[in-house]
Amino acid sequence: MPSSWDVELAEFLTDLSVVQSQSLEMLSKKRELLVSADVEGLAALAGQEEQIIERLQECLDRRRSLLERAAAEGLPDDSLKSLATALPGHQAGDAPERIREASARARLLQHHSLTNWVLVQRTMIHLSQMLEIIATGGRLKPTYSKEEDAHACGALVDHVV
């Protein structure tokens, strides 16, 4: 049974492109909200994130289905790239180029996600340091000192009264 790989790959890649673009917009917006410490804005963004996650999961399921069908038809099933390259020119259409573009957008999404993660980690370190300053009154006690009081050392066995 002949398949319309060009149409199915084109539809899949169009949907994937839309979801990836929405993800990039959401990550940029999230970074802006993180920088401005807009907690309400971040909370409001959660719903949009859930929708994007669902759409990405749908794309993953469609990809799996396409590759399973390719395997059933004796075509390469390890990746969409190898599938598109194995198709005759008229069936592949512009899929190889669009797959390269989707792959580049995926790398860009990784970079944006990593940037947001680093921003959150640095914020957490800063907040932890601020809490330490507040807790100690700004005076740090050295971990080791020559004048250490025997009562402060925690020694139970060799404590001399």
Side-chain angles (χ1 to χ4, degrees):
M1 177 168 109
S3 62
S4 56
W5 283 108
D6 56 341
V7 174
E8 290 186 55
L9 282 174
E11 288 175 356
F12 171 76
L13 292 169
T14 298
D15 292 344
L16 179 61
S17 175
V18 168
V19 174
Q20 286 177 324
S21 296
Q22 290 173 344
S23 296
L24 283 169
E25 289 172 17
M26 188 264 311
L27 286 171
S28 295
K29 186 174 182 179
K30 188 172 191 173
R31 184 174 46 259
E32 292 170 8
L33 294 171
L34 286 168
V35 168
S36 65
D38 184 354
V39 178
E40 290 90 21
L42 285 168
L45 201 59
Q48 182 182 356
E49 285 179 308
E50 287 296 322
Q51 289 176 347
I52 289 173
I53 289 169
E54 288 174 13
R55 295 205 44 218
L56 284 169
Q57 185 60 51
E58 289 170 6
C59 285
L60 186 61
D61 293 341
R62 282 177 62 193
R63 176 188 175 275
R64 187 178 307 117
S65 174
L66 286 170
L67 292 176
E68 285 173 357
R69 200 173 100 224
E73 293 182 18
L75 295 167
D77 64 339
D78 59 323
S79 71
L80 290 179
K81 180 179 180 180
S82 61
L83 171 61
T85 2
L87 293 174
H90 69 282
Q91 281 188 328
D94 63 346
E97 177 60 30
R98 294 182 65 196
I99 289 171
R100 279 190 290 279
E101 292 169 358
S103 181
R105 274 191 306 276
R107 282 190 301 277
L108 187 58
L109 279 166
Q110 289 173 333
H111 289 294
H112 279 263
S113 294
L114 180 62
T115 301
N116 287 356
W117 182 83
V118 168
L119 178 62
V120 169
Q121 294 305 309
R122 288 191 176 185
T123 301
M124 294 300 291
I125 290 170
H126 176 72
L127 291 174
S128 142
Q129 291 170 342
M130 294 298 291
L131 286 173
E132 185 175 351
I133 289 170
I134 291 169
T136 62
R139 287 172 256 117
L140 296 178
K141 183 178 178 183
T143 305
Y144 303 102
S145 70
K146 292 181 182 179
E147 298 85 27
E148 185 173 348
D149 184 14
H151 298 290
C153 71
L156 296 175
V157 178
D158 57 346
H159 182 87
V160 181
V161 180

